[in-house]
Amino acid sequence: MAKRDFYEVLGAARGASADELKKAYRSKAKELHPDRNSDNPKAEEQFKEVNAAYEVLKDAEKKAAYDRYGHAAFEGGMGGPRGGQPGANGDFASAFSDVFEDLFGDFMGGQRGGGGRSRAQRGSDLRYNLRVTLEEAFAGIQKTINVPASVACESCRGSGAEGGAEPVTCPTCSGMGKVRAQQGFFTVERTCPTCNGMGQTIKNPCKKCAGAGRVEQDRALSVNIPAGVETGTRIRLAGEGEAGLRGGPSGDLYIFIEVREHAIFQRDGTHLFCRVPVTMATAALGGEVEVPTIDGGKSRVKVPGGSQTGKQMRLRSKGMPALRGGGVGDMLIELAVETPVNLTSKQKELLREFEKLSEDNNPEGQTFFSKVRTFWDGMKG
Ligand SMILES: [Zn+2]
Ligand SMILES: [Zn+2]
């Protein structure tokens, strides 16, 4: 999309004065403000455009550069507007927060330039760390969690005023949120002690929440953990975070998943890895072993005769499901041949006999051990 001329965007004439530009910007920003244009999907884009244009034109230096070179003045990373074009990264909130601050008062009823914050305030986002087992990550699970959170006060419906009455402009600071005090030769500005900078006070604070508009309360929340989650998976529950202040929207709740270590399975993406012990006899003669699977069942695996420790086999589709569909991983098993221990005298006797037979049965370098033996015999001779 070609960039529109900044003056055209603001609906101002080239050569307009700073005051005229400010006026033009305010009227455009009001017209396009997202709160008033929920039914116009283009408004947000245009609102960002207006902010981007004013970000440049309100600054004498940037304006001069723009007047001279046009958009080229801010391309190639040289001398561009601070932090790039607002909204270029898709972060809408930050796009208008700086420029919008001094306008906000106008919309909220005349606290202009006072630094008094708008009375409605979005609640904070909350993070909840949830540990699940590998089995739960495999199957998915419904979990009930207790979220310590402040929620909107029911008694005043979040307004902070008894009976839901509207707050009034703070008498101490006249809604500015700040007060001036003489200190020696200097005049200092302080946050208003009466309203704590909010610019408004409540005549009859709600008794239940003491005027805060929210109360601390543990909430039981049922969370659906989908199959395939991994450590680091984040689940966002919109609007389940901290309640907003004085009727503001709630924040979001983020659930951070941590999958516990498993006693026998190691996970690598959707694949599972498992070391399976086999007896010396099974490894030598061949046979079957039973392998536990993550779904709680068992699979029988054929062990070929003469298997060595480290031999790997793959059980298709016995791994973990992918989080957003796309199939199931495999289970890789690795054999570990067990040396028998606590032998009876009969077993010892048989093994000695076995050893003797092995010497006669020249194995022709069939195993690693026989290769080593051949090597040493060669050294001696
Ligand atoms: Zn209340
Ligand atoms: Zn005040």
Side-chain angles (χ1 to χ4, degrees):
M1 193 180 80
K3 252 185 184 168
R4 286 211 295 153
D5 179 70
F6 282 159
Y7 290 93
E8 194 192 314
V9 168
L10 291 184
R14 223 161 234 282
S17 70
D19 265 345
E20 286 168 326
L21 287 171
K22 192 170 191 173
K23 246 188 199 160
Y25 166 61
R26 287 187 171 213
S27 96
K28 281 278 177 199
K30 268 188 193 178
E31 185 194 317
L32 296 169
H33 188 261
D35 286 353
R36 299 181 176 195
N37 289 277
S38 47
D39 52 350
N40 177 6
K42 280 193 176 159
E44 183 178 314
E45 217 33 65
Q46 292 170 336
F47 185 68
K48 284 183 195 170
E49 204 185 5
V50 163
N51 278 311
Y54 189 58
E55 183 76 29
V56 169
L57 295 184
K58 73 170 180 180
D59 183 296
E61 249 179 70
K62 289 178 191 167
K63 179 174 178 291
Y66 179 76
D67 286 345
R68 198 157 167 202
Y69 303 110
H71 290 300
F74 306 104
E75 276 155 19
M78 296 277 285
R82 178 170 48 91
Q85 293 293 327
N89 57 359
D91 185 356
F92 184 58
S94 72
F96 70 91
S97 58
D98 344 335
V99 220
F100 202 60
E101 205 68 68
D102 70 316
L103 282 186
F104 205 65
D106 285 3
F107 297 138
M108 302 306 289
Q111 307 170 3
R112 217 182 112 196
R117 258 170 285 151
S118 69
R119 66 186 192 91
Q121 216 179 304
R122 186 179 179 273
S124 307
D125 291 337
L126 295 176
R127 172 182 173 147
Y128 189 96
N129 296 330
L130 182 64
R131 296 184 83 194
V132 297
T133 63
L134 190 63
E135 283 86 351
E136 289 169 340
F138 168 79
I141 190 174
Q142 189 92 12
K143 281 245 179 198
T144 301
I145 60 174
N146 277 316
V147 189
S150 44
V151 296
C153 173
E154 273 176 26
S155 165
C156 60
R157 271 171 278 125
S159 74
E162 191 69 46
E166 278 297 299
V168 295
T169 302
C170 172
T172 310
C173 63
S174 318
M176 302 294 274
K178 284 179 181 162
V179 288
R180 282 160 198 249
Q182 199 73 29
Q183 216 171 63
F185 295 109
F186 303 100
T187 306
V188 290
E189 256 193 356
R190 286 216 185 87
T191 301
C192 170
T194 310
C195 62
N196 289 316
M198 300 300 285
Q200 287 176 316
T201 56
I202 292 157
K203 258 203 182 125
N204 297 307
C206 167
K207 287 185 190 74
K208 201 179 162 203
C209 63
R214 50 187 181 184
V215 288
E216 297 293 323
Q217 194 184 301
D218 268 18
R219 276 183 310 143
L221 202 63
S222 181
V223 186
N224 199 25
I225 308 297
V229 291
E230 291 178 79
T231 293
T233 301
R234 235 171 48 157
I235 299 170
R236 176 171 168 265
L237 299 176
E240 297 288 2
E242 197 182 40
L245 260 184
R246 299 170 208 277
S250 297
D252 298 333
L253 173 65
Y254 289 91
I255 295 181
F256 282 64
I257 300 290
E258 188 196 334
V259 180
R260 286 173 209 257
E261 295 269 312
H262 194 276
I264 61 167
F265 296 118
Q266 280 107 54
R267 181 184 191 174
D268 181 11
T270 57
H271 296 314
L272 290 176
F273 177 86
C274 174
R275 181 162 282 163
V276 178
V278 286
T279 65
M280 199 174 69
T282 304
L285 303 173
E288 270 188 345
V289 281
E290 224 174 32
V291 182
T293 47
I294 189 65
D295 58 10
K298 280 179 176 147
S299 278
R300 297 193 73 80
V301 177
K302 254 200 158 59
V303 178
S307 291
Q308 304 292 330
T309 285
K311 181 179 176 54
Q312 291 197 339
M313 285 177 278
R314 185 181 289 264
L315 296 178
R316 298 243 170 242
S317 303
K318 286 289 181 188
M320 300 291 286
L323 182 54
R324 282 172 241 291
V328 180
D330 300 332
M331 182 158 113
L332 294 157
I333 62 173
E334 186 179 294
L335 297 182
V337 180
E338 281 188 322
T339 305
V341 291
N342 297 327
L343 300 177
T344 63
S345 51
K346 176 74 175 164
Q347 283 176 313
K348 285 180 187 167
E349 192 190 316
L350 284 172
L351 277 178
R352 277 190 204 106
E353 194 174 331
F354 172 80
E355 189 84 328
K356 225 173 160 182
L357 287 170
S358 301
E359 280 166 21
D360 303 338
N361 171 26
N362 177 17
E364 247 355 287
Q366 275 178 349
T367 66
F368 174 69
F369 301 102
S370 63
K371 277 183 201 157
V372 172
R373 172 174 291 181
T374 312
F375 176 75
W376 281 118
D377 288 351
M379 295 285 284
K380 275 185 263 175

